[in-house]
Amino acid sequence: MTPVGSYRAAGRLAARNAGPLQGDISVPGDKSISHRALILGALAEGRTTVSGLLESADVLRTVAALRQFGIDVRRECADRWSIEGRAWRTPSQAIDCGNSGTTARLLMGAAAGQGVGVTLVGDSSLQSRPMRRVLDPLSSMGLDADGSSSLPVTLRPSQLGGTAHRLATPSAQVKSAILLAGLGTSDRVEVEEPMSCRDHTEIMLAEMGCEVRREGSTLSLGDRRRLSGTSIDVPADPSSAAFPLIAACVVPGSKVRAAGISVNPTRTGWIETMVEMGARISITNRRTVNGEPRGDLIAEHGPLRGVTVPAERIPSMVDEVPILAIAAACAAGRTIFEGVGELRVKESNRLDRMVTGLRANGVDAHVDGDCLIVEGRDRIPGGGRIDTHGDHRIAMSFLVLGAVAEAPVEVDEVEMIETSFPDFLDLMAALGARFDRPR
Ligand code: S3P
């Protein structure tokens, strides 16, 4: 085995138990808020400047897409991007959304609202993900689109009207697509969300001068739907922070601090769950910037116990279930994640990937209906080889398991980590994690 010397590595990688993880980390910008800052900036009148933007593969797909719509998006200097909002034009070529579901689904709504046409394509993972959930409500608003239920999808320029849509699955991407499409009509636009999911779009719309109302579980756009350019400072991504912080909770002797993390309550279900499991995680220095709460997080190793996570909490931790399943493997007793069926249609079938990967490392886990069940152990044998199916969060989760297992844990490919957390390997190595490239 040879140690890894550079980040953005591609290929196979093994993580081994190398003792405690300690230090202060700088977690990159929130992926969801970064996409929205770019897209809403492009829909606004005037200039929007963005600091803290996540410069990951997924977000750079949104940058490239907006340029194809004729928007001037620039990296002015390190840590400052600018977007000059203007009327969108129909791109001359198909837009490649790569692995990014947020790029595809939010752009469908935004482009529909702008009355422009577009063909969206993606990689093989994205092409297998459901798009009907976005196309159906947009079609009910008058969008003329081809009949497919997955990418590639072609939208034709259309004049939109209103809608009153009830989300069948709690999806912030679907909710956002409808709200963004609604900017292109003066008719009534309402979205009912039976379970609340991340609310960054509505917060940013309001920050940019759009009237968004909430009555109970129903959101609606008011008469004022024009956006004005603004300055946005993106908080650090709690979904990325979860990997090193949960690693600190499970690796004996560890303590890790991360400043400026989004603690928007629609994103902190994983912290609530870890605290219920007995984890030593604290939030200090809470403040609000651009309508978004943020705080500093400290996580320390301590004993964990299994818990039952109710389905209502899943939307606020939907991307963290894989790394929480790693925490569950290290906890005393059984953990049940209820209502996690949506994980089957993420970047991979994450229920299948987690069960297969945990079992390969000596941890009992199974799926029962829409529940994921993990039997915790006091020692993790490890030694498994993980087929990530090109899923960044599966790769990061099992690299964390390797930091606590008795034998190294190997993942088949780490390149996709760049879609959300390009510095993950370096950041973990700086804390004391050890990665080797298998020969
Ligand atoms: C996201 C919403 C979630 C999440 C994804 C990002 C967003 O997807 O899993 O990583 O930025 O709106 P769903 O809306 O499909 O649940």
Side-chain angles (χ1 to χ4, degrees), residues 31-32 35-36 102 105-106 129 133 170-174 176 198 200 318-319 342 346-347 350 393:
K31 183 151 77 75
S32 294
H35 284 294
R36 286 156 173 81
T102 311
R105 294 187 176 128
L106 267 59
R129 297 180 65 187
R133 52 179 64 189
S171 165
Q173 294 177 350
V174 177
S176 300
R198 66 191 72 189
H200 309 303
V318 66
D319 292 336
E342 264 300 286
K346 293 295 179 185
E347 285 83 329
R350 287 182 174 162
R393 297 195 206 279

Side-chain angles (χ1 to χ4, degrees), residues 237-312:
D237 196 326
S239 301
S240 296
F243 293 99
L245 293 173
I246 292 179
C249 293
V250 298
V251 177
S254 300
K255 181 170 183 176
V256 173
R257 286 181 221 86
I261 309 292
S262 166
V263 289
N264 178 318
T266 62
R267 299 288 298 282
T268 51
W270 70 270
I271 300 176
E272 196 182 337
T273 300
M274 287 300 293
V275 168
E276 258 179 39
M277 293 173 83
R280 296 160 71 188
I281 300 187
S282 59
I283 307 174
T284 57
N285 194 17
R286 287 179 186 266
R287 61 248 191 231
T288 297
V289 181
N290 299 125
E292 288 280 357
R294 62 178 76 181
D296 302 343
L297 269 57
I298 302 178
E300 275 178 83
H301 174 257
L304 300 179
R305 56 182 173 269
V307 294
T308 296
V309 184
E312 310 79 76

Side-chain angles (χ1 to χ4, degrees), residues 4 18 34 60 76 83 85 163 167 173 184 207 228 282 294 318 349 383 422 435:
V4 170
S34 294
L60 296 178
E76 299 282 352
I83 307 111
T163 190
L167 294 176
Q173 294 177 350
E207 285 284 304
S228 306
S282 59
R294 62 178 76 181
V318 66
N349 178 340
F435 303 115

Side-chain angles (χ1 to χ4, degrees), residues 85-133:
R86 49 159 289 162
W88 293 23
R89 64 162 193 243
T90 294
S92 54
Q93 291 187 332
I95 287 180
D96 186 354
C97 303
N99 193 244
S100 178
T102 311
T103 304
R105 294 187 176 128
L106 267 59
L107 285 180
M108 282 183 200
Q114 289 291 294
V116 296
V118 64
T119 296
L120 299 168
V121 301
D123 69 9
S124 59
S125 151
L126 187 56
Q127 294 203 177
S128 68
R129 297 180 65 187
M131 293 297 154
R132 271 268 141 254
R133 52 179 64 189

Side-chain angles (χ1 to χ4, degrees), residues 334-401:
R334 168 180 291 186
T335 293
I336 304 173
F337 299 93
E338 294 178 344
V340 287
E342 264 300 286
L343 268 76
R344 295 192 175 93
V345 292
K346 293 295 179 185
E347 285 83 329
S348 69
N349 178 340
R350 287 182 174 162
L351 295 185
D352 176 52
R353 288 300 86 214
M354 288 313 297
V355 167
T356 307
L358 286 169
R359 286 185 185 163
N361 287 287
V363 178
D364 274 350
H366 69 279
V367 172
D368 182 3
D370 278 346
C371 294
L372 170 65
I373 296 141
V374 180
E375 308 290 348
R377 303 187 51 131
D378 54 5
R379 35 169 287 279
I380 308 288
R385 289 188 168 188
I386 307 301
D387 181 355
T388 60
H389 286 194
D391 187 326
H392 54 136
R393 297 195 206 279
I394 297 298
M396 289 187 279
S397 297
F398 282 102
L399 290 174
V400 168
L401 189 71

